[in-house]
């Protein structure tokens, strides 16, 4: 599993965002050229917002893009803390991407019902071309948290009692997150250092259960004492 991780350190969060943007640009061009569409799964949280803002200016055929979400918080559909609202305000509402091709997780229905609704939508979208993820300070990714077990045969799972508020969420499960041609995990800031160090040490963290190649893009603050340069 460790040989599937590719770690890259960049000067700062802006450089991490620049690298992520370059990879999204390249992967989308390849996918559209080869298969006529680009299927991307978005990360939530705050780290990817800088990337989403820069995507506004991407020179691409937005009619070929299909956007899904790696996880969502069980809040009203227009709540400012929703991952879908963050992506819409920073990027998706500002480009001519056909509305029907942005597929938010209906987390306002509650964890169980939303997971049931989103599961078939994920299944028909597989394999993805790119999955974007973040990592929490406890080693969670998407809304897959330490101590939470999920059945391997579910692509989308309900999450209760999440340690990161809100407590109720919906998340793509490990097999769905890995059913992709590329997976990029972005981590910036010293606060992620401990989780990254534990991940590299082989601890059974949620992020370590991603059984597929992961490109880990870090800024210097997250890299310090964890990774030297790249490996
Ligand atoms: C969420 C995210 C979550 C996030 C990490 C990192 O809904 O909160 O899906 O997994 O990616 O917690 O969050 P930051 O980018 O804000 O550090």
């Amino acid at each position: 599993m460790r040989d599937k991780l590719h770690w890259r350190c960049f000067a700062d969060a802006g450089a991490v965002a620049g690298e992520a943007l370059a990879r999204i640009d390249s992967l989308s061009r390849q996918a559209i050229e080869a298969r006529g569409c680009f299927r991307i799964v978005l990360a939530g949280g705050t780290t990817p917002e800088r990337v989403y803002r820069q995507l506004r200016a991407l020179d691409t055929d937005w009619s070929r893009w299909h956007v899904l979400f790696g996880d969502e918080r069980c809040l009203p559909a227009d709540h400012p803390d929703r991952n879908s609202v963050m992506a819409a305000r920073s990027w998706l509402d500002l480009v001519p991407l056909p509305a029907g091709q942005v597929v938010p997780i209906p987390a306002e229905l509650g964890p169980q019902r939303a997971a049931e609704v989103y599961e078939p939508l994920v299944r028909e979208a597989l394999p993805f071309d790119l999955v974007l993820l973040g990592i929490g300070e406890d080693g969670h990714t998407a809304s897959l948290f330490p101590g939470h077990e999920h059945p391997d045969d579910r692509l989308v799972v309900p999450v209760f009692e999440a340690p990161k508020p809100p407590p109720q969420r919906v998340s793509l499960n490990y097999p769905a997150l890995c059913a992709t041609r590329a997976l990029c995990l972005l981590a910036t800031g010293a606060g992620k250092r401990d989780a990254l160090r534990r991940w590299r040490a082989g601890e059974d963290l949620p992020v370590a259960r991603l059984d597929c190649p992961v490109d880990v893009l870090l800024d210097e603050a997250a890299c310090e004492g964890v990774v030297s340069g790249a490996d």
Side-chain angles (χ1 to χ4, degrees):
M1 176 51 213
R2 282 173 57 82
D3 63 351
K4 293 179 180 175
L5 301 180
H6 307 285
W7 304 76
R8 289 273 316 271
C9 294
F10 296 87
D12 52 31
V16 169
E19 175 68 16
L21 186 70
R23 290 179 186 228
I24 293 169
D25 184 17
S26 169
L27 289 166
S28 60
R29 290 179 188 281
Q30 290 169 36
I32 291 168
E33 173 76 22
R35 292 174 295 279
C37 70
F38 176 57
R39 292 188 173 92
I40 182 172
V41 174
L42 300 187
T46 58
T47 302
E49 188 168 352
R50 189 190 289 248
V51 182
Y52 299 164
R53 290 188 183 286
Q54 293 185 41
L55 278 168
R56 294 175 195 170
L58 192 67
D59 173 20
T60 186
D61 180 354
W62 293 111
S63 71
R64 304 291 188 148
W65 286 55
H66 295 261
V67 178
L68 290 92
F69 292 81
D71 69 325
E72 188 54 273
R73 303 147 181 211
C74 290
L75 297 166
D78 59 353
H79 193 287
D81 290 349
R82 288 263 302 225
N83 292 328
S84 56
V85 171
M86 180 272 281
R89 288 180 176 170
S90 55
W91 162 38
L92 297 173
D93 285 354
L94 307 170
V95 295
L97 207 162
Q101 292 172 209
V102 178
V103 189
I105 300 174
E108 62 279 7
L109 301 177
Q112 198 62 51
R113 183 69 191 123
E116 289 164 3
V117 168
Y118 212 60
E119 174 107 0
L121 300 178
V122 167
R123 191 174 301 283
E124 71 184 331
L126 297 180
F128 303 123
D129 292 299
L130 175 60
V131 169
L132 296 177
L133 286 174
I135 182 173
E137 298 188 358
D138 61 358
H140 77 258
T141 194
S143 284
L144 302 168
F145 290 94
H148 291 212
E149 293 301 329
H150 301 288
D152 287 339
D153 63 348
R154 295 295 306 276
L155 295 173
V156 186
V157 292
V159 177
F160 302 90
E161 298 176 21
K164 176 178 182 181
Q168 295 197 346
R169 293 162 166 258
V170 187
S171 185
L172 265 57
N173 200 5
Y174 301 103
L177 295 173
C178 275
T180 182
R181 294 180 174 89
L183 197 163
C184 263
L185 186 142
L186 313 182
T188 59
K192 303 297 172 76
R193 222 178 274 166
D194 186 50
L196 294 166
R197 194 179 290 119
R198 292 166 61 199
W199 182 13
R200 283 175 63 87
E203 265 197 56
D204 179 22
L205 300 174
V207 72
R209 293 190 180 188
L210 293 166
D211 187 18
C212 54
V214 180
D215 289 321
V216 188
L217 308 183
L218 309 172
D219 70 352
E220 203 47 56
C223 266
E224 195 178 317
V226 180
V227 188
S228 54
D231 70 17

